[in-house]
């Protein structure tokens, strides 16, 4: 073992060469570290700065743009915690609050799909736990390369198995998500994970290491060498042909340890024994020590030799950088330490006193009485570099906009429309995702009201009142490639609409912003536009961004993914008994079927659509227009109609348009429908292809029970929401009957819709364990 690099030695060997570039630090960043410390950093300090100043931890390229979320934040009295905390927290009743957040685990999930995805779930669950909440559900927006690429058959089954095993072992229902295929994600899948938790509104926790003399307790698993350098090397750099040698090991998860960690923390919260708490995820102990002490504006002394190790030969800088999972850092009053250790012991969780809060304003780490770290904690956690990167509109954007999908050959006859519908519903992005979702437990804990494939997941959070929440996550990389400002707003609008069709009122937003390299001016232009679009959109809708995540360097070599902001929206339902499902209900007895009504207006908007991609492999033109006032109006009408019992089903229109929404609505409960497409007005026939496959935003399909039609349409007219009668739910139809155009039996629809993923992946052994 080499000589220990102490602070004293660093002072004596000022000119010793250090491998800062290999750790991802630039020349000027290294010089700034030397200025802060007034000497060269020790080996441990260099590791800590490289981690905390990485793109993943410091947000150094995105921070100047993310400020918009605060500057444009609408009034939000219900928000108890927001950007900068481990997760956003929103009050949903006098006594209850909900916390939720979405994050990425993209690069680890490409290197090792099973563990990368599993530990992504574990990490986001601990973020929720750190706010004082019991985690109650997860969601997983996933994006993979081409469906028929050999590597997709390696990555997808492993990712799905990892998510399923970790979430199922924790006993958390997986209530929604996305599965998207696109060649742009080849070699760089997007594995985003959302978790939601519930807590008493007066039990909110924070990460500040307050109180001089308070004890620092490390709770959970032992540290190992897994994940060392994960955030500084793996998540903050681009994959290229020479990356293999510098890819660190991916973290290894143990959901059963995490389950015990959850229960012990919740008991500690209820006993009032925790002053401050922070999870150990990306950046491990380095992040937890620096963020907790910086948040309190105090100092901390950590005795590193006390940290329990899986591998006794670990060196100090490895212990500080380890991203071993299932760990939390607690700040505890001295008189409560024994009680904390006793509760940990009761749950079989390791708990160790590793230090104390000081009044020095310095983070000091010693190793067997030798000082190896002595720095201001704020210089690690808060004062990293901030870059205003160059931005430049992509040079090909003008040509892309000119290449409109509206000019492509389109089906004209009823037979051609029928063939197009079947081709689209069987396409990888629109087909049934049961092969994926059946690997997740959706109903564990007994409070799931709606789950996949519904538009939003709905959970009961208060069994005495029926109070519930709805959650949806959405994104569309193709729209955002065509117009990042509008594409981000379309993702927001779709998530907002998906929550609204359940009858819930949207109240808050989280986001995961997946982009290419920030060192590319075109990527930074896309990022700037997308963030501005989201901030403007949330202000227009009146719902705040409570937090989220930025994931850069999602590209292989020089080729970036399509910019993919994933947006999660949280809604509140006063009573989950009033929730509205997406599927048409079969008529009762001999009664007439529900009336099918289209809300909103349909334009000829085909650019960026699933039809253009599946039929022509085309991406060009401009995405659909966004009318956020119309989205608010639609949400208001849907919530009112749900409360008054005016609708028995509601389904948003998005990818695949009206045709896809109708197919999903009839297949959900196996009941047919007769549809008569409207004309264009003034006796002119409308183009049935546009009506069926346009992806105009701000629309929803609803089923209105007999006797409620007049009341519902009067509600729409009073609010100024356009509505169009489309047809009737009719079990005798035996399928989807679009009069004058085509009819498809339910069996044929189901065969086309359900066969794709099993044919692609059903033969693959899923988990690379």
């Amino acid at each position: 073992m080499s000589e220990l690099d102490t602070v004293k030695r660093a002072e004596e060997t000022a000119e010793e060469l250090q491998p800062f570039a290999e750790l991802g630090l630039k020349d000027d960043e290294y010089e700034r570290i030397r200025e802060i410390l007034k000497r060269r950093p020790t080996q441990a300090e260099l590791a800590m700065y490289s981690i905390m100043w990485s793109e993943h931890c410091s947000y150094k390229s995105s921070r100047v743009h993310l400020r918009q979320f605060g500057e444009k934040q609408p009034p939000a009295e219900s928000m108890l915690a927001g950007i900068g905390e481990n997760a956003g927290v929103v009050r949903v009743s006098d006594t209850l609050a909900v916390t939720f957040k979405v994050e990425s685990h993209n690069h680890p999930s490409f290197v090792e799909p099973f563990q990368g995805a599993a530990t992504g779930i574990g990490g986001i669950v601990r973020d929720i736990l750190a706010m004082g909440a019991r985690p109650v559900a997860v969601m997983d927006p996933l994006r993979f390369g081409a469906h028929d690429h050999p590597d997709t058959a390696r990555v997808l089954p492993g990712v799905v198995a990892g998510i399923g095993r970790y979430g199922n072992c924790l006993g958390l229902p997986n209530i929604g998500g996305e599965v998207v295929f696109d060649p742009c994600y080849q070699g760089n899948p997007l594995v985003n994970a959302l978790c939601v938790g519930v807590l008493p509104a007066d039990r909110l926790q924070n990460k500040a290491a307050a109180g001089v003399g308070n004890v620092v307790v490390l709770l959970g698993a032992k540290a190992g060498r897994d994940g060392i350098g994960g955030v500084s090397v793996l998540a903050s750099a681009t994959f290229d042909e020479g990356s293999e040698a510098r890819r660190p090991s991916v973290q290894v998860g143990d959901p059963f340890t995490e389950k015990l960690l959850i229960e012990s923390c919740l008991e500690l919260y209820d006993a009032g024994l925790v002053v401050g708490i922070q999870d150990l995820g990306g950046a491990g102990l380095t992040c937890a020590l620096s963020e907790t002490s910086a948040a309190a504006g105090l100092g901390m002394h950590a005795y590193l030799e006390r940290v329990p190790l899986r591998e006794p030969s670990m060196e100090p800088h490895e212990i500080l950088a380890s991203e071993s999972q299932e760990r939390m850092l607690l700040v505890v009053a001295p008189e409560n330490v024994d009680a904390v250790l006793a509760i940990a012991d009761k749950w079989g969780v390791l708990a160790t006193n590793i230090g104390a809060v000081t009044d020095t304003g310095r983070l000091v780490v010693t190793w067997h009485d030798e000082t190896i770290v002595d720095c201001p904690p704020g210089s690690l956690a808060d004062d990293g570099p901030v870059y205003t990167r160059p931005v430049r509109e992509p040079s090909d954007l003008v040509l892309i906009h000119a290449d409109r999908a509206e000019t492509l050959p389109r089906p004209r006859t009823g037979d051609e429309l029928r063939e197009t519908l079947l081709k689209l519903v069987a396409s990888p992005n629109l087909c049934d995702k049961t092969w994926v979702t059946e690997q997740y437990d959706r109903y564990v804990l007994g409070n799931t009201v709606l789950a996949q494939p519904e538009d939003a997941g709905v959970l009961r959070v208060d069994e005495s009142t029926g109070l519930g929440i709805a959650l949806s996550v959405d994104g569309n990389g193709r729209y955002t490639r065509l117009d990042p400002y509008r594409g981000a707003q379309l993702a927001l609008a779709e998530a907002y609409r998906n929550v609204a069709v359940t009858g819930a009122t949207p109240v808050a937003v989280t986001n995961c912003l997946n982009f290419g390299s920030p060192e590319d001016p075109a990527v930074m232009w896309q990022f700037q536009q997308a963030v501005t679009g989201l901030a403007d959109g949330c202000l227009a809708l009146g719902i705040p961004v409570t937090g989220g995540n930025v994931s850069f360097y999602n590209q292989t070599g020089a080729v970036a993914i399509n910019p993919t902001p994933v947006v999660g929206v949280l809604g509140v339902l006063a009573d989950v008994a009033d929730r509205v499902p997406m599927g048409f209900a079969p008529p009762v007895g001999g009664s007439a079927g529900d009336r099918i009504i289209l809300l909103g207006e349909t334009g000829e908007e085909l650019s960026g659509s699933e039809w253009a991609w599946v039929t022509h492999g085309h991406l060009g033109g401009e995405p659909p227009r966004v009318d956020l006032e119309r989205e608010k109006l639609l949400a208001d009408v849907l919530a009112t109609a749900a409360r008054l019992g005016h609708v028995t089903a509601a389904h948003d229109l998005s990818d695949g348009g009206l045709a896809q929404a109708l197919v999903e609505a009839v297949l959900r409960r196996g009941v047919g429908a007769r549809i008569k497409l409207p004309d264009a007005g003034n006796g002119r026939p409308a183009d049935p292809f546009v009506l069926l496959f346009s992806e105009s935003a701000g629309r929803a399909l609803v089923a209105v029970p007999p006797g409620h039609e007049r009341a519902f349409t009067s509600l729409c007219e009073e609010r100024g929401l356009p509505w169009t009668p489309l047809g009737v739910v009719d079990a005798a139809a035996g399928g989807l009957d679009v009069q004058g155009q085509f009819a498809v039996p339910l069996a044929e629809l189901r065969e086309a819709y359900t066969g794709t993923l099993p044919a692609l992946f059903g033969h693959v052994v899923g988990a690379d364990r």
Side-chain angles (χ1 to χ4, degrees), residues 105 108-109 112-122 158-160 162-163 166 191 193:
H105 227 226
S109 299
E112 215 295 4
F114 182 87
Q115 290 294 350
T119 53
I121 294 292
V159 164
V160 171
I163 291 168
Y166 207 101
V191 177

Side-chain angles (χ1 to χ4, degrees), residues 591-597 641 644-648 703-715 727-728:
S591 65
D594 295 344
R595 301 297 173 182
I596 301 170
I597 293 175
L644 297 175
H646 289 337
V647 291
T648 58
V704 179
H708 287 258
E709 301 102 313
R710 181 169 295 181
F712 178 73
T713 55
S714 294
L715 172 65
V728 63

Side-chain angles (χ1 to χ4, degrees), residues 26 55 61 236-238 389-390 516-524 552-553 555:
K26 309 295 185 188
E55 193 68 62
S61 298
S236 299
T238 298
R389 301 270 193 189
S517 170
E519 298 165 47
D520 181 343
V523 169
M524 281 312 298
F552 277 133
Y553 294 101
Q555 61 186 66

